[in-house]
Amino acid sequence: MILCVGLATVDLIYRVDRIPGADEKAQATAFEVAAGGPAANAAVTAAALGAPVTLVTAIGSHPLGELIRSDLRNHGVLVIDAAASSGAPPPVSSIVVAGHERTIISRNAGELQVAVPGEGLPDAELTLIDGHHPVLAVAAAKSARRLVVDAGSWRPVFADIFPYAEVVACSAAFRHPADAVDAPHVVVTHGPGPVTWTSGGVSRSLTVPPVDAVETSGAGDAFHGALAFALHEQSAMDAALAEAIRVAGVRVTHPGAREWLAFL
């Protein structure tokens, strides 16, 4: 089983011909509601590839939370809600997409503080953490058998998590120097550019095959979910990265929050 720990949001996705300017109204050409967040999207990806997946996150009892739960349930992800007693709204993101461009307004988890559920965290062969909900993240890191960290952007809690990581996957925009990350495998993605990684002091790279990208939202989350799946299936690091690149390529060539999963 793969355990994902981190953020789950309600994503309100508007598709427009172009990103509107200040004080400008725009008519959406399409609209979707889906669960979002790095950990949630990675969990959906890993489940679509065939792994049993549990997501530990914070949703709460607010009616908007059912939008998250139903989407994850429909895509085979078991959810453990560490904020089940909270009546506050869950994190909500408004995403405006125009081709390769996007604008995101998000509260993420805000100041919400959640503790580890009373029953503890489930045992898993591999754990993926995105750094949201720091108390959950640190507990999951300490108990993980194998740990993959989605380090898309620097969070202070990573200083407490990285020492437990087998793989730290950063984006090129990561503000903390990649060479300061102490982990057996450090991966850096560069969008359509080569994926580089360092293992045992040796640096390597994998070419990303060119694709006709129509939407890049969630590509990093898909990459991390596929990487976790491949490592869970005992793939070697180069093979796991090749699979993650393949899946991210599928993601960007299909519009929509979930339709692309059918093409895996």
Side-chain angles (χ1 to χ4, degrees):
M1 189 263 282
I2 295 175
L3 177 65
C4 295
V5 179
L7 185 65
T9 68
V10 178
D11 278 3
L12 308 176
I13 307 163
Y14 301 85
R15 303 188 190 283
V16 296
D17 293 328
R18 63 181 180 84
I19 302 295
D23 296 324
E24 181 182 2
K25 293 183 179 180
Q27 180 67 37
T29 58
F31 173 72
E32 290 180 86
V33 179
N41 284 332
V44 167
T45 301
L49 290 168
V53 181
T54 297
L55 171 68
V56 179
T57 186
I59 300 172
S61 61
H62 189 279
L64 283 174
E66 183 54 31
L67 297 174
I68 301 173
R69 283 186 287 269
S70 63
D71 184 46
L72 295 174
R73 183 170 56 245
N74 290 342
H75 290 91
V77 177
L78 177 66
V79 175
I80 296 176
D81 186 1
S85 61
S86 172
V92 177
S93 294
S94 293
I95 305 168
V96 181
V97 180
H100 296 174
E101 296 183 314
R102 62 178 180 171
T103 296
I104 302 175
I105 301 174
S106 180
R107 180 74 171 131
N108 287 338
E111 287 77 42
L112 178 64
Q113 298 291 324
V114 292
V116 177
E119 65 274 19
L121 299 174
D123 185 41
E125 286 81 17
L126 184 140
T127 300
L128 171 69
I129 294 173
D130 67 9
H132 292 270
H133 304 305
V135 173
L136 291 178
V138 172
K142 290 181 176 179
S143 63
R145 296 190 202 177
R146 304 178 67 191
L147 179 64
V148 176
V149 180
D150 169 0
S153 58
W154 171 251
R155 300 180 183 281
V157 72
F158 286 149
D160 298 320
I161 292 173
F162 284 168
Y164 300 94
E166 175 182 337
V167 180
V168 173
C170 314
S171 71
F174 190 62
R175 295 303 181 219
H176 200 63
D179 58 5
V181 178
D182 185 15
H185 305 283
V186 178
V187 178
V188 182
T189 60
H190 302 82
V195 172
T196 60
W197 85 98
T198 302
S199 300
V202 178
S203 297
R204 304 173 176 85
S205 67
L206 277 178
T207 299
V208 174
V211 297
D212 294 325
V214 297
E215 183 175 327
T216 58
S217 298
D221 302 339
F223 180 94
H224 296 127
L227 178 62
F229 170 80
L231 292 173
H232 177 264
E233 298 299 301
Q234 304 301 319
S235 294
M237 194 64 197
D238 56 348
L241 288 171
E243 173 65 357
I245 291 169
R246 181 192 73 83
V247 171
V250 175
R251 170 66 193 98
V252 301
T253 54
H254 297 88
R258 299 288 183 242
E259 290 83 350
W260 69 277
L261 297 169
F263 297 90
L264 290 175

